[in-house]
């Protein structure tokens, strides 16, 4: 595939994106960013009762989905309904370094603001330096660390909580 120099097109996911997003999710799986075991068949649906298409923004380059961000609530409690949380971010290997992740983060922040949120948060694994640097460059700050919260791929990994006001 020729390298695209255009900016990614960001849009809300559609039900028809299910298969392409599910495949992208499986292809980008890594203990660098996932606490879930490596996906194996049969694969659960990408969209479910907790994660609807409207909760996802997708990035397209050359009319192909090359990334997504999942935006949800950190809890189901009404007392923190003013907070949105980035609950997943994936960028296809061939689209890395093209600004897709940054465009998705910016779009998620704007969407959270549009939906009336006062804050946006996320959790990132401590060893995921590229993601942490990206989030920091987009205004997220470390608000807490759960040391050695996960045992992944043979090592203990911190869970880093980041956020920013909107």
């Amino acid at each position: 595939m020729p390298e695209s120099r255009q900016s990614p097109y960001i849009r809300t996911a559609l039900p028809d994106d299910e298969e392409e997003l599910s495949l992208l999710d499986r292809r980008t799986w890594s203990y660098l960013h996932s606490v879930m075991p490596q996906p194996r068949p049969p694969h659960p649906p990408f969209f479910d009762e907790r994660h609807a298409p409207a909760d996802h923004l997708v990035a397209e380059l050359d009319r192909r989905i090359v990334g997504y961000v999942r935006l949800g609530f950190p809890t189901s409690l009404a007392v923190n309904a003013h907070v949105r949380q980035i609950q997943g971010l994936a960028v296809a290997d061939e689209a890395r370094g093209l600004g897709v992740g940054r465009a998705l983060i910016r779009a998620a922040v704007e969407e959270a603001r549009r939906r009336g949120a006062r804050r946006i948060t996320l959790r990132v694994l401590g060893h995921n330096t590229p993601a942490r640097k990206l989030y920091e460059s987009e205004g997220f700050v470390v608000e807490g660390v759960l040391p050695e919260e996960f045992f992944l791929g043979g090592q203990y990994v911190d869970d880093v909580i980041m956020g920013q006001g909107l």
Side-chain angles (χ1 to χ4, degrees):
M1 171 177 121
E3 207 171 286
S4 177
R5 292 288 174 206
Q6 66 193 21
S7 296
Y9 172 67
I10 308 295
R11 64 171 174 80
T12 302
L14 302 168
D16 287 351
D17 296 328
E18 165 92 29
E19 188 176 328
E20 201 169 351
L21 286 169
S22 183
L23 184 59
L24 173 66
D25 210 39
R26 292 193 305 272
R27 285 185 175 161
T28 58
W29 179 92
S30 164
Y31 276 132
L32 183 62
H33 59 80
S34 182
V35 297
M36 301 303 290
Q38 186 167 9
R40 304 244 185 260
H43 301 293
F46 185 82
F47 300 128
D48 58 30
E49 59 280 346
R50 288 184 44 231
H51 307 107
D55 299 327
H56 298 80
L57 299 172
V58 299
E60 291 183 345
L61 285 174
D62 301 321
R63 297 182 182 235
R64 282 188 43 249
I65 293 175
V66 293
Y68 77 84
V69 63
R70 177 178 281 161
L71 192 61
F73 292 97
T75 73
S76 59
L77 301 171
V79 294
N80 82 325
H82 62 284
V83 179
R84 293 300 183 282
Q85 185 176 58
I86 292 175
Q87 297 178 336
L89 174 72
V91 175
D93 289 344
E94 68 271 14
R96 291 180 190 256
L98 300 177
V100 173
R102 184 173 306 281
L104 285 166
I105 294 299
R106 288 179 178 174
V109 167
E110 276 310 306
E111 183 64 14
R113 193 177 281 126
R114 188 187 73 73
R115 293 182 186 188
R118 294 177 45 89
R119 287 183 36 75
I120 187 168
T121 63
L122 59 86
R123 295 170 71 171
V124 61
L125 295 173
H127 65 194
N128 192 345
T129 304
R132 290 180 64 183
K133 285 183 177 180
L134 172 62
Y135 298 138
E136 287 171 3
S137 75
E138 289 300 319
F140 286 84
V141 296
V142 174
E143 297 180 338
V145 177
L146 302 173
E148 298 186 353
E149 186 72 3
F150 301 108
F151 187 72
L152 303 171
Q155 66 179 1
Y156 290 99
V157 180
D158 296 347
D159 187 11
V160 179
I161 296 134
M162 300 181 80
Q164 67 173 285
L166 300 175

